Amino acid sequence: MLPDLRYPVGKFAVQPLTPALIAQCIAAIEALPANVAHAVDDLGDAQLDTPYRPDGWTVRQVVHHLVDSHVNAWCRMRLALTEDNPTIRAYEEKDWADLPDARSAPIGPSLKVLSGLHARWAVLLKALLPDAWDRPFHHPESGDRTLAWLLQMYAWHGRHHTGHITGLRERQGW
C-alpha cells in the first residue's frame, strides 16, 4: 500500500491535555522554524517549485503557507486570551497559496517571519496558566474550539508540512 502523501505524519487527532502534552506541543512549535529551515536547506528554485505531491502545493508555497497559517493561529490565540469566546475570522488558505508572493517570492523572508513569530509564540505559550487552555473561541467553519485544541493543531500542523518537504526530499533523493 502506498503512503498517503497528504498526511505524512498522520491525520490530526486531539488528545486529552496533560502537562506533558502541553510541553511536547510547545517544544514542537518552538522547534518549527529550525526544522523547516533544515528541511529546505540547499534547495534551489527548481526544487522549491516542485509540488510535494501531484496536484499539491510547491515547497515554496508550503513555506509561505506556514507563515500565513501560523500568523493567523497566533492572532486567534491572542483573541481567545483577551476576549470572551470571540468568533475568529476564517481565510481561504488555498487562495492565499495561489497569490503571486506565495508562488514566487523567495522563502528567506518567510523563514525569518517564522523564526520571530515562533520565538514570541513560545514565550506566550510557556507563560499560560493551566486554566487558559480551556479558553474558547468560535471558528465559523469548524465550530467551537479551545486553546488546548489550537495548541495541538498547530504543533501537528508544523510537523505535517515539514513532513511534506522532507518526504519529497527523500523520494527525490535531494
Side-chain angles (χ1 to χ4, degrees):
M1 180 177 189
L2 294 174
D4 187 342
L5 299 180
R6 294 173 301 167
Y7 299 102
V9 298
K11 291 185 178 182
F12 173 69
V14 70
Q15 301 172 31
L17 200 63
T18 64
L21 181 59
I22 292 168
Q24 178 184 355
C25 289
I26 292 171
I29 288 171
E30 195 168 28
L32 178 69
N35 292 342
V36 172
H38 179 72
V40 299
D41 190 43
D42 295 328
L43 294 183
D45 282 335
Q47 294 161 316
L48 291 172
D49 293 330
T50 301
Y52 72 88
R53 66 176 174 86
D55 299 318
W57 289 337
T58 66
V59 172
R60 184 183 311 275
Q61 286 173 298
V62 169
V63 172
H64 294 316
H65 163 72
L66 282 166
V67 172
D68 294 342
S69 181
H70 290 213
V71 165
N72 273 284
W74 179 73
C75 290
R76 291 167 177 175
M77 177 168 277
R78 296 178 74 76
L79 288 168
L81 288 167
T82 60
E83 298 178 16
D84 291 328
N85 197 24
T87 296
I88 55 93
R89 192 175 187 297
Y91 74 102
E92 298 297 331
E93 66 179 30
K94 291 176 184 175
D95 292 343
W96 284 36
D98 281 333
L99 290 171
D101 62 323
R103 288 193 158 281
S104 64
I107 61 170
S110 283
L111 294 174
K112 288 178 182 176
V113 170
L114 272 181
S115 181
L117 173 67
H118 280 249
R120 182 149 171 218
W121 199 358
V123 170
L124 175 62
L125 293 169
K126 290 175 183 178
L128 293 181
L129 298 175
D131 63 338
W133 301 111
D134 294 327
R135 296 215 32 109
F137 63 95
H138 180 78
H139 190 292
E141 295 170 353
S142 58
D144 295 330
R145 301 290 183 201
T146 65
L147 292 187
W149 176 89
L150 190 140
L151 173 72
Q152 292 179 61
M153 168 56 80
Y154 283 89
W156 171 86
H157 189 258
R159 290 190 309 269
H160 169 71
H161 284 303
T162 303
H164 287 146
I165 298 166
T166 58
L168 175 65
R169 287 189 77 138
E170 289 170 12
R171 291 188 307 278
Q172 296 295 327
W174 293 342

